[in-house]
Each structure stands twice: as C-alpha cells, then as structure tokens.
Amino acid sequence: KLDKAVARVAFLTDDFWNIMQTRQLSLLSRVLSERLRITIRETLGASYSPYVYNNPSLNFKGYGVMNVVVNLSPKTLDSINSNITELITDLVDNGVTPEELSLVKGPLMNHLTVLRQTNSYWLNSVMANSFRHPERLDWALNLVQGYDQITPKDLNRLAKKYLRVQDRAVIKVLPKPQK
C-alpha cells in the first residue's frame, strides 16, 4: 500500500455571474496548473498530476474558490506547500507572460470550438435554466471571442486581487496512521 497525502491551497474568488471574470479566472487557473506541472511534476517529480481549478458559485453571491491540488508523498507535504507558495508569489509579483497565456489558451480555444458544435453543450450549458438567466444565450454567442480577447494584463490583475498568499487556506490531508 502506498501512503499518499494531498496538499490543497484555496483562495476565495468570486461568483459565476460576471462571465468575463469567470473566464479570466478559468484561464488563470490553467496558467497556474501549467506552472505547477513544470515545477512539481517535471522538475521535482513530486506529483504526477497537480492541478488548479476555479469553482465560482452559481448560488452564493460573491463566493468562489480557486483550488490548488497536489497528490504527493506525506514526507514531501511541507516542502511542496512551500513550492506552491513560491509559485503563487512569483505569479503575483511577476505576472503571466504572453507565452504562458498562449500555451494554455490554444488548446482551450480548440476545445471551445468543438464544444459549441455539440448538442450537450447547447442543452446542458446554454438552454438549461436560460428562462431564469437569459444572459446564458448571449454568453454562448461570444464564448470563443470572449476567451480569445483575454490578455496577460487581465490575468495579472486577478492574480493580484485574489491570489494573496496571506489570505490562503492551506489544507493538509494525511493518510491514516498505520497500527
């Protein structure tokens, strides 16, 4: 049996309803995921699939959480948490580069183009509850263009606003001690 731990770092963000900000936070999480992949996986070999995602609330005004998740060995938990803090601090201090944004935006743009051609997208993401939120119809029409117009400046502004390491929640999940 392999003992595994989970390092989670969470930052409060915002709700879903400012769609451009939600899209920008989604791209920011992809940039941070890529930085984690390079450092935690490629350089340190400490985790195979670290990832970051933003979870904006559909129900609670002003509430969302950006989550950093790394599955790893319990022995490396504290040092990897330090690496995560360094990565986030660097992102806030030095910003997202145009190359980084391009790297994560390209595959996303391809995915969105294909997604818009599926019935599932139109039925489950656009039409569902569109009678309560008719703005979903407009969002669908500008989905690809909306993501395409996001710049490093947009992401840097949000990183400074939401990724304040002094305000983060650090969650350490450890394996059950052996008897």
Side-chain angles (χ1 to χ4, degrees), residues 19-60:
I19 197 62
M20 277 309 298
Q21 178 176 272
T22 297
R23 291 170 178 170
Q24 292 165 355
L25 285 167
S26 173
L27 270 177
L28 181 60
S29 70
R30 287 171 179 261
V31 168
L32 189 50
S33 283
E34 183 61 14
R35 286 191 180 193
L36 276 175
R37 183 192 65 77
I38 291 167
T39 301
I40 306 297
R41 178 181 171 179
E42 303 287 329
T43 304
L44 301 174
S47 178
Y48 184 74
S49 56
Y51 61 96
V52 182
Y53 66 97
N54 186 52
N55 188 14
S57 178
L58 292 166
N59 299 314
F60 299 104

Side-chain angles (χ1 to χ4, degrees), residues 73-143:
S73 164
K75 296 176 198 164
T76 62
L77 186 63
D78 290 330
S79 65
I80 295 303
N81 269 329
S82 294
N83 291 112
I84 293 169
T85 300
E86 288 171 19
L87 285 168
I88 292 166
T89 300
D90 181 66
L91 178 65
V92 171
D93 291 347
N94 299 311
V96 174
T97 67
E99 296 79 19
E100 283 179 305
L101 181 55
S102 178
L103 181 70
V104 299
K105 194 190 280 189
L108 176 63
M109 299 304 289
N110 291 337
H111 170 73
L112 295 176
T113 300
V114 171
L115 180 70
R116 290 188 74 230
Q117 298 171 6
T118 66
N119 289 336
S120 176
Y121 166 73
W122 290 100
L123 289 173
N124 300 324
S125 296
V126 178
M127 300 306 292
N129 291 316
S130 62
F131 63 94
R132 286 192 184 127
H133 301 286
E135 61 269 28
R136 287 178 180 259
L137 300 170
D138 290 330
W139 296 346
L141 295 175
N142 69 25
L143 177 68

